Amino acid sequence: RSRCKLVVVPPDPGLFSALGLLSADQVLSADRSAYTVLTPDRAGEVDTLFAELEAELREHLDPGRGVRIVRSFDGRLLGQAWETPFAPVPEGTIDEAALRTMISTFHDTYQARSGNRFERMPVEAVTFRVAAVFDTQKVDYPRLARRASGGPRSLGTAALSYLGEWESSATVFERSELLAGDEIPGPAIIREPNST
């Protein structure tokens, strides 16, 4: 397997996904589809499945590296044709009590997504998921200062030509000189060297 040793992200990236990449936790995941109606007699089967998924993940982890293991499942009310994803699963052994917790957290997740709760309906797990999460230090960007008075300095004007018969003028500003709360009357052009 190959690894990326260095990633360079400019201080003001033109695409904010670069900032997200820099701060996002690293996640390695394993999942398995196994249509399982969650009833007390299936607790051992579900526990074995999660143990196998976690063992599969740990084969790819560096020994001694700090990692957080997160379990979840995609489930549905029995008879539905769609799943509610990422219902939380408790840590530890999946026994009857943990299975009841899984059912309860499914209903919580379902209600948060749909606004409805149908606790009398059996819950069917569809996909079981285990994720190894490596916490990443978050980027802490300082907040922009506010301008004490006046407004940003203009770099001049530029002509805006349209397909019609008229032309307009726009004031030009440099993004790096803008401060929090600046108001820019339009039409205006804000130059940003890292973006188109």
Side-chain angles (χ1 to χ4, degrees):
R1 65 187 165 171
S2 62
R3 294 183 180 186
C4 182
K5 302 286 187 192
L6 180 68
V7 176
V8 178
V9 177
D12 296 306
L15 299 174
F16 282 110
S17 57
L19 264 184
L21 175 65
L22 195 61
S23 287
D25 292 334
Q26 298 175 53
V27 178
L28 181 64
S29 62
D31 53 67
R32 188 179 306 165
S33 292
Y35 293 82
T36 308
V37 178
L38 299 182
T39 54
D41 59 311
R42 307 299 287 274
E45 181 183 331
V46 172
D47 185 61
T48 299
L49 199 148
F50 275 119
E52 290 172 357
L53 286 171
E54 184 171 337
E56 180 184 319
L57 267 185
R58 289 198 181 275
E59 288 177 13
H60 302 284
L61 302 177
D62 294 332
R65 182 168 182 194
V67 66
R68 189 165 36 98
I69 300 295
V70 178
R71 303 188 294 189
S72 65
F73 74 101
D74 299 359
R76 61 189 180 186
L77 298 172
L78 188 61
Q80 280 186 321
W82 67 89
E83 290 85 46
T84 296
F86 299 108
V89 173
E91 297 178 1
T93 303
I94 302 296
D95 53 16
E96 289 186 23
L99 203 69
R100 284 193 295 274
T101 301
M102 286 175 63
I103 292 168
S104 178
T105 59
F106 166 81
H107 288 301
D108 293 344
T109 306
Y110 186 95
Q111 183 175 14
R113 291 176 64 90
S114 71
N116 295 304
R117 191 176 186 97
F118 303 101
E119 293 195 34
R120 293 186 181 193
M121 298 284 295
V123 174
E124 181 178 36
V126 175
T127 304
F128 296 86
R129 303 181 187 278
V130 175
V133 181
F134 306 95
D135 293 327
T136 300
Q137 185 177 351
K138 306 304 178 213
V139 175
D140 185 20
Y141 274 90
R143 288 193 166 273
L144 281 178
R146 289 193 166 269
R147 197 174 303 280
S149 63
R153 178 179 64 92
S154 163
L155 300 179
T157 59
L160 299 178
S161 299
Y162 296 89
L163 295 176
E165 297 179 3
W166 58 277
E167 193 174 88
S168 180
S169 178
T171 309
V172 180
F173 299 91
E174 185 69 36
R175 180 183 183 268
S176 61
E177 294 184 13
L178 300 180
L179 295 178
D182 280 349
E183 293 185 15
I184 308 213
I189 296 172
I190 299 175
R191 290 191 176 154
E192 162 58 73
N194 293 318
S195 183
T196 54

